[in-house]
């Protein structure tokens, strides 16, 4: 037998052979990586991923996955030319893991584990039991402990990893007494770090029920994060490295890295400014009405794009397991520990995550009457000259159905019937249509199907449960459906139907995502507006739009009036069928009536006290509509009477002699205060061009005014619950101006909200916006 020494070679050990195999595999990988580029990443991830994982398990390679950033979610104002604040974005973070295989070889394993349990676990927010559980998988070199670790926490983790550690290992080397070798190292020997991704929600709870959230695994669990999870999710990268027989990584030249590919970003139709206005007004409406919840949607009537969608029962997607409602949380915490408390907690979480605008249903009530009128006009069973005399009720088969006005409305035209929200008139139209024709429009306006909006868990009507099947709709069911009762619909279904009336008769498919962008910001997919069907003609649409504008100027929707906006709308008040007792007050509207751009629905769930949509849903709708129209630069077209009621604007007195300015303003019937003595006017409040009613207060500051005088404030008085003249006088006495908004055609007007709360400080001469309403002639149901 020839000796190895004689031929200049030594016998190969098992370790040598393992190392050679690892080198062959690794060099092949590196060569393929240089030659194939992007194909390599796909190959590693999708084609050969199992093979490499097997090689890693055999001990030849170490395979580390690199998390891919999810795409961002932007609002409709996104531009590649500016810095954008997204609804959601991903950022680099860290994942902490341990090496159970190496740890198991340490003689002082128990001591090391104790340090991991006592000192590392609290830093990571995990239990000591998780340390023990992960360390028990001694076959593996990588077991994750925690992910999405931020920079601040990582500094503390690194301080732990840098702690010195003497590791005792068994050895057959006779140079070590007792067969024990001591390795002077740190805890980083067992505790490793790899790249990770964390999801942030920079806008907090804004649009949370639409955006949704991701779980700890970075997978979408609700909202758009769930619905578009495949698009938002990127392709993970990998670091594949060879290791030697001692289980240590070889130098960096023996590894190859495939970078992660980020997911697609989304640009929404939702405008963050519109969304903020919507949520703020809904929150106040919920408080004012002591309601269980409130919902709202703002839609582009021509495209179906959602400009705003909100539920007051919201949450923080960055902390989605926290119960956001203080009262609900307190009730849960008051329960004893146990199954009942856990059940209440789970129910509360599900409730706050739910997007009620697409998932929850209620009887549309009188809002549906505009659909009945549209069907009647389209089928020519009524026209604008049709008259009906309401005596307070109508006999239908063996049932007598009352109007909400028990004494009756008397003789009415079709327009007046809609303005008065007269039940018997609508029932009569339904009877003239008959079941088949009525159901044709019931289906046509989308009440027998979901809308197709790109959000998860949308309500789908079930015949016999939420809606009547056509074959089971008889004369009584037809009567109740004609005025919006005995069936259910979701808020988005109702607004989509109203938008069809507004836009010339086209039923649009609503949508939330306008575009998808690649990692470089290029548009790779763009949503095109989808017309599902033509439901009514442009002629019928024009007639009903005009009728609905009169509902707002002089009917039950008068509290939805906005000067110059030409709002058209319909109120609704209905009982809940499948969700217990209580009412839903609603108001749906669009503007401008002659060329609609924006549609809006407000629904207030289980209000206390006042329950009618015209009383409590129309006022916040008017505020929202005004803000949205101004934000979208839609021109306000004021009538001559509106111009007189609104007054003018503050004239520019800056640079003029104070005495001359004082005289000129008083001659124009303004109230004036000059601060700082004589000389020229250097500043004024209100500023030039700002709205100012005739007789308003103008503060003129001259060159002699001190800094303290120019910042003088006054305490804002309570301006709600008053008549208009009384509120204006109280504001004037306090040194403030007042801007009144509401329908001057109404009677019994009362102020109900002010833009600056009573008790707050405001600058002398500042304008406080005060909203007023009327509770006369705005009811469509008697509780």
């Amino acid at each position: 037998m020839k000796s190895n020494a004689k031929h200049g070679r030594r016998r190969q050990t098992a370790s040598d052979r393992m190392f050679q195999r690892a080198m062959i595999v690794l060099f092949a990988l590196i060569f393929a990586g240089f030659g194939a580029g992007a194909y390599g990443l796909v190959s590693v991830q999708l084609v050969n991923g199992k093979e490499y994982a097997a090689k890693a398990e055999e001990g030849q390679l170490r395979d580390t996955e690199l998390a891919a950033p999810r795409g961002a979610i932007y609002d409709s104002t996104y531009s590649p030319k500016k810095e954008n604040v997204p609804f959601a974005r991903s950022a680099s973070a860290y994942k902490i893991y341990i090496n159970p295989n190496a740890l198991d070889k340490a003689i002082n394993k128990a001591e090391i584990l104790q340090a991991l349990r006592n000192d590392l676990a609290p830093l990571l927010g995990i239990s000591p039991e998780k340390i023990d559980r992960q360390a028990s998988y001694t076959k593996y070199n990588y077991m994750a402990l925690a992910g999405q670790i931020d920079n601040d926490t990582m500094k503390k983790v690194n301080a732990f990893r840098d702690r010195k550690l003497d590791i005792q290992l068994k050895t057959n080397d006779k140079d070590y007494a007792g067969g024990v070798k001591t390795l002077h190292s740190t805890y980083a020997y067992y505790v490793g770090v790899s790249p990770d991704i964390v999801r942030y929600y920079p806008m907090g709870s804004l649009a949370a029920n639409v955006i949704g959230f991701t779980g700890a695994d970075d997978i979408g669990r609700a909202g758009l994060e769930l619905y578009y999870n495949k698009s938002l999710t990127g392709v993970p990268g990998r670091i594949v490295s060879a290791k030697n027989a001692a289980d240590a990584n070889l130098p960096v030249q023996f590894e190859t890295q495939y970078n992660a590919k980020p997911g697609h970003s989304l640009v929404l139709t939702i405008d963050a400014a519109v969304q903020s206005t919507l949520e703020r007004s809904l929150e106040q409406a919920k408080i004012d009405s002591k309601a269980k919840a409130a919902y709202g949607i703002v839609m582009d009537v021509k495209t179906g794009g959602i400009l705003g969608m909100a539920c007051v029962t919201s949450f923080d997607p960055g902390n989605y397991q926290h119960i956001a409602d203080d009262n609900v949380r307190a009730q849960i915490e008051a329960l004893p520990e146990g199954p009942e408390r856990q059940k209440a907690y789970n129910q509360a979480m599900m409730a706050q995550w739910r997007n009620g605008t697409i998932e929850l249903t209620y009887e549309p009530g009188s809002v549906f009457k505009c659909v009945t009128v549209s069907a009647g006009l389209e089928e020519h069973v009524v026209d604008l000259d049709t008259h009906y005399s309401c005596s307070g009720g109508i006999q239908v088969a063996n049932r007598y159905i009352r109007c909400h006005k028990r004494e009756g409305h008397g003789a009415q035209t079709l327009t007046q019937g809609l303005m008065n929200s007269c039940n018997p008139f609508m029932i009569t139209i339904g009877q003239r249509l008959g079941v088949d024709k009525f159901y044709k429009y019931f289906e046509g306006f989308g009440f027998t199907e979901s809308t197709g909006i790109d959000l998860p868990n949308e309500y789908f009507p079930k015949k016999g449960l939420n809606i009547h099947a056509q074959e089971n709709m008889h004369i009584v069911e037809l009567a109740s459906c004609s005025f919006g009762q005995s069936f259910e619909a979701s808020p988005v279904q109702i607004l989509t139907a109203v938008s069809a009336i507004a836009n010339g008769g086209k039923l649009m498919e609503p949508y939330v995502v306008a575009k998808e962008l690649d990692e470089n910001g290029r548009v790779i997919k763009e949503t095109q507006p989808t017309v599902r069907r033509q439901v009514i003609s442009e002629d019928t649409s024009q007639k009903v739009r005009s009728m609905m504008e009169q509902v707002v100027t002089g009917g039950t929707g008068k509290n939805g009036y906005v000067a110059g906006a030409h709002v058209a709308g319909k109120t609704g008040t209905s009982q809940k069928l499948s969700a217990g007792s209580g009412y839903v007050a609603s108001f749906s509207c669009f503007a401008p009536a002659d060329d609609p751009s924006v549609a809006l629905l407000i629904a207030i769930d289980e209000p206390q006290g006042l329950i009618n949509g015209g009383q409590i849903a129309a006022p916040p709708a008017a505020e929202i509509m005004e803000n949205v129209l101004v934000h979208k630069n839609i021109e306000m077209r004021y009538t001559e009477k509106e111009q007189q009621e609104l007054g003018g604007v503050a004239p520019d007195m800056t640079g003029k002699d104070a005495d001359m300015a004082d005289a000129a303003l008083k001659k124009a019937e303004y109230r004036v205060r000059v601060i700082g003595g004589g000389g020229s006017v250097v500043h004024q409040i209100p500023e030039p061009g700002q709205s100012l009613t005739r007789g308003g207060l103008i503060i003129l500051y001259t060159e002699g005014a001190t800094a303290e005088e120019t910042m003088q404030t006054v305490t804002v008085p309570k301006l709600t619950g008053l008549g208009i003249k009384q509120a204006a006088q109280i504001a004037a006495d306090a040194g403030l101006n007042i801007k009144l908004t509401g329908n001057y055609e109404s009677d019994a007007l009362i102020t109900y909200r002010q833009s600056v709360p009573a008790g707050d400080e405001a600058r002398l001469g500042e304008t406080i916006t005060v909203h007023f309403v009327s509770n006369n002639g705005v009811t469509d149901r008697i509780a």
Side-chain angles (χ1 to χ4, degrees):
M1 182 175 176
K2 296 179 181 180
S3 70
N4 288 332
K6 183 176 178 180
H7 290 82
R9 299 194 305 270
R10 67 178 177 85
R11 185 181 300 276
Q12 282 189 328
T13 66
S15 295
D16 292 333
R17 289 192 295 272
M18 178 182 288
F19 177 76
Q20 287 180 352
R21 286 199 302 271
M23 289 303 96
I24 292 170
V25 173
L26 182 61
F27 284 132
L29 284 175
I30 293 172
F31 179 78
F34 283 120
Y39 170 77
L41 174 58
V42 176
S43 175
V44 168
Q45 284 298 125
L46 303 180
V47 182
N48 299 320
K50 290 183 179 179
E51 177 186 340
Y52 294 139
K55 294 287 186 185
E57 212 170 285
E58 289 171 11
Q60 300 175 27
L61 300 175
R62 174 165 285 138
D63 181 16
T64 304
E65 184 174 276
L66 300 177
R70 285 175 74 83
I73 301 177
Y74 298 103
D75 88 325
S76 62
T77 64
Y78 167 83
S79 169
K81 298 180 180 179
K82 69 168 187 170
E83 186 174 347
N84 301 277
V85 179
F87 283 114
R89 68 177 178 85
S90 292
S92 297
Y94 304 93
K95 184 177 290 184
I96 310 302
Y97 65 90
I98 58 172
N99 186 332
N101 181 274
L103 180 59
D104 192 53
K105 296 172 183 175
I107 297 173
N108 55 335
K109 175 180 177 181
E111 173 193 337
I112 299 169
L113 275 175
Q114 191 64 31
L116 297 180
R117 285 192 293 258
N118 292 345
D119 301 334
L120 180 62
L123 295 179
L124 301 179
I126 63 175
S127 66
E129 289 75 20
K130 184 169 184 178
I131 296 282
D132 293 335
R133 186 167 60 251
Q134 299 299 80
S136 68
Y137 294 96
T138 56
K139 178 182 177 181
Y140 299 100
N141 301 310
Y142 181 107
M143 290 300 296
L145 293 180
Q148 300 184 344
I149 302 299
D150 59 29
N151 289 329
D152 290 340
T153 304
M154 194 61 228
K155 290 176 183 177
K156 299 174 183 177
V157 172
N158 279 332
F160 174 83
R161 295 176 72 240
D162 290 340
R163 280 168 46 178
K164 292 181 179 180
L165 174 66
D166 288 339
I167 304 170
Q168 297 175 352
L169 300 170
K170 289 181 180 180
T171 180
N172 294 324
D173 194 326
K174 296 178 180 179
D175 292 338
Y176 293 94
V180 176
K181 177 175 67 173
T182 300
L183 177 65
H184 302 294
S185 184
T186 66
Y187 279 92
Y189 191 88
Y190 297 115
V191 180
V193 180
S194 62
D196 198 12
I197 299 295
V198 65
R199 195 68 163 167
Y200 288 106
Y201 297 89
M203 295 193 189
S205 63
L206 190 70
N209 299 92
V210 177
I211 304 301
F213 56 87
T214 60
D217 53 6
D218 208 35
I219 294 175
R221 300 298 181 189
L224 291 169
E225 293 275 31
L226 170 60
Y227 194 90
Y228 283 93
N229 186 65
K230 185 175 181 180
S231 296
L232 288 163
T233 302
V235 181
R238 306 196 91 86
I239 297 177
V240 184
S241 55
K243 61 179 184 175
N244 60 23
D247 196 42
N249 283 347
L250 291 169
V252 69
Q253 63 263 35
F254 297 112
E255 74 173 26
T256 186
Q257 177 171 326
Y258 299 93
N259 292 328
K261 183 178 176 62
H264 296 163
S265 293
L266 307 179
V267 178
L268 309 187
T269 56
I270 290 177
D271 185 319
V274 172
Q275 183 72 23
S276 181
T277 295
L278 179 62
E279 291 190 15
R280 190 168 55 248
S281 293
L282 281 177
E283 180 65 42
Q284 190 60 53
K286 177 177 178 284
I287 293 170
D288 291 344
S289 61
K290 300 179 177 62
K292 176 182 176 182
Y295 310 101
I297 311 173
V298 184
M299 182 184 290
D300 184 321
V301 302
K302 296 175 182 176
T303 67
I306 301 297
L307 307 180
M309 175 177 275
C311 310
V312 172
T313 54
S314 192
F315 63 97
D316 178 0
N319 189 17
Y320 60 88
Q321 292 183 317
H322 173 74
I323 305 301
D325 189 300
D326 293 337
N327 293 329
V328 173
R329 190 172 64 255
Q331 291 171 8
I332 294 172
E333 291 172 351
L335 296 172
E337 290 282 357
E340 184 181 353
R341 179 173 178 173
Q342 186 62 46
K343 180 180 178 181
Y345 172 75
N346 292 340
Q347 289 176 338
M349 274 202 306
M350 294 298 293
Q352 71 177 12
W353 299 341
R354 187 179 296 122
N355 184 346
T357 64
I358 65 168
E359 296 182 46
L360 300 182
T361 61
Y362 62 96
E363 289 182 298
S366 296
V367 168
F368 186 82
K369 291 172 180 174
C370 57
V371 173
T372 300
V373 168
S374 297
L377 287 169
E378 189 72 10
E379 291 295 330
H380 305 292
V381 299
V382 290
D383 57 35
L384 295 181
D385 294 324
T386 298
H387 283 69
Y388 177 83
S389 183
C390 171
S391 60
I394 186 172
Q395 188 72 39
V396 179
N398 61 348
R399 288 186 58 188
Y400 185 75
I401 302 176
R402 293 186 177 277
C403 187
H404 67 86
K405 189 174 183 180
R406 296 293 189 254
E407 65 273 24
H409 291 104
Q412 309 164 96
T413 63
L414 183 63
T415 299
Q416 290 169 334
L418 190 62
M419 291 170 66
N420 295 330
S421 199
C422 179
N423 291 344
F425 205 155
M426 299 302 124
I427 292 171
T428 300
I429 296 173
Q431 304 298 315
R432 291 183 182 182
L433 283 166
V435 169
D436 290 345
K437 287 183 178 178
F438 177 86
Y439 213 86
K440 169 186 171 183
Y441 292 93
F442 191 72
E443 286 184 328
F445 277 104
F447 290 100
T448 61
E449 61 190 354
S450 60
T451 66
I453 192 169
D454 50 342
L455 284 168
N457 304 320
E458 185 188 3
Y459 155 77
F460 189 90
K462 294 182 177 62
K463 294 181 179 180
L465 180 62
N466 310 106
I467 61 174
H468 299 289
Q470 183 173 353
E471 59 272 20
N472 296 327
M473 181 179 281
H474 306 295
I475 189 169
V476 173
E477 290 79 18
L478 174 61
S480 60
C481 286
S482 298
F483 61 97
Q485 302 287 342
S486 78
F487 71 93
E488 292 180 314
S490 67
V492 73
Q493 276 185 301
I494 297 167
L495 185 59
T496 303
V498 171
S499 293
I501 294 172
N503 68 18
K506 301 177 180 67
L507 188 75
M508 306 301 297
E509 182 172 279
Y511 62 99
V512 179
V513 172
K515 301 173 185 175
E516 286 189 30
L517 311 176
D518 68 11
E519 59 187 296
N520 298 311
R522 292 189 293 261
V523 177
I524 56 174
K525 185 178 180 181
E526 188 164 4
T527 304
Q528 298 300 320
T530 300
V531 179
R532 303 189 80 170
R533 66 186 72 93
Q534 184 81 29
V535 190
I536 56 174
S537 65
E538 171 61 45
D539 179 63
T540 297
S541 168
Q542 186 278 324
K543 290 174 181 175
V544 181
R545 293 199 308 261
S546 176
M547 295 168 68
M548 291 175 69
E549 183 178 9
Q550 293 181 70
V551 171
V552 173
T553 55
T556 58
K558 64 184 70 173
N559 287 330
Y561 169 89
V562 177
H566 300 275
V567 177
K570 185 67 191 75
T571 57
T573 311
S574 56
Q575 254 181 317
K576 297 169 73 171
L577 285 181
S578 62
S581 59
Y583 292 88
V584 174
S586 62
F587 181 67
S588 189
C589 59
F590 50 84
D594 58 345
D595 184 19
S597 173
V598 176
L600 168 65
L601 174 73
I602 298 296
I604 300 177
D605 190 7
E606 296 187 20
Q608 306 299 311
L610 300 178
I611 64 163
N612 282 274
Q615 296 169 318
I616 60 175
E623 296 173 34
I624 295 165
M625 182 62 81
E626 181 175 17
N627 285 323
V628 171
L629 294 177
V630 170
H631 177 69
K632 288 177 64 65
N633 295 315
I634 295 174
E635 182 185 5
M636 297 291 197
R637 292 175 287 113
Y638 299 102
T639 65
E640 185 176 340
K641 186 173 183 180
E642 286 173 334
Q643 287 280 19
Q644 293 173 351
E645 291 164 347
L646 290 170
V649 296
D652 188 358
M653 293 292 143
T654 55
K656 297 182 179 179
D657 177 79
D659 292 336
M660 294 179 65
D662 181 36
L665 290 172
K666 287 178 177 175
K667 185 176 181 180
E669 298 182 358
Y670 290 108
R671 293 176 292 117
V672 185
R673 288 192 196 180
V674 179
I675 296 178
S680 298
V681 177
V682 296
H683 182 59
Q684 70 179 68
I685 296 179
E687 293 183 0
Q690 286 190 343
S691 296
L692 185 65
T693 57
R694 183 69 62 186
L697 173 65
I698 298 179
I699 311 297
L700 302 177
Y701 295 97
T702 68
E703 298 161 316
T706 65
E708 185 177 348
E709 286 176 324
T710 60
M711 297 305 294
Q712 182 180 349
T713 63
V714 296
T715 301
V716 178
K718 182 177 182 293
L719 300 172
T720 57
L722 308 171
I724 289 179
K725 290 184 179 179
Q726 187 182 7
Q729 186 59 54
I730 291 174
D733 293 342
L736 297 166
N737 285 300
I738 187 171
K739 177 187 175 183
L740 294 165
T741 178
N743 190 339
Y744 285 94
E745 295 296 323
S746 305
D747 53 3
L749 300 177
I750 186 170
T751 58
Y752 85 101
R753 188 174 300 166
Q754 58 191 81
S755 59
V756 180
D760 282 10
E761 293 295 306
R763 289 189 68 183
L764 181 66
E766 186 175 330
T767 299
I768 309 297
T769 300
V770 176
H771 304 270
F772 62 86
V773 296
S774 171
N775 287 327
N776 284 358
V778 295
T779 59
D780 48 27
R781 187 182 184 102
I782 304 298

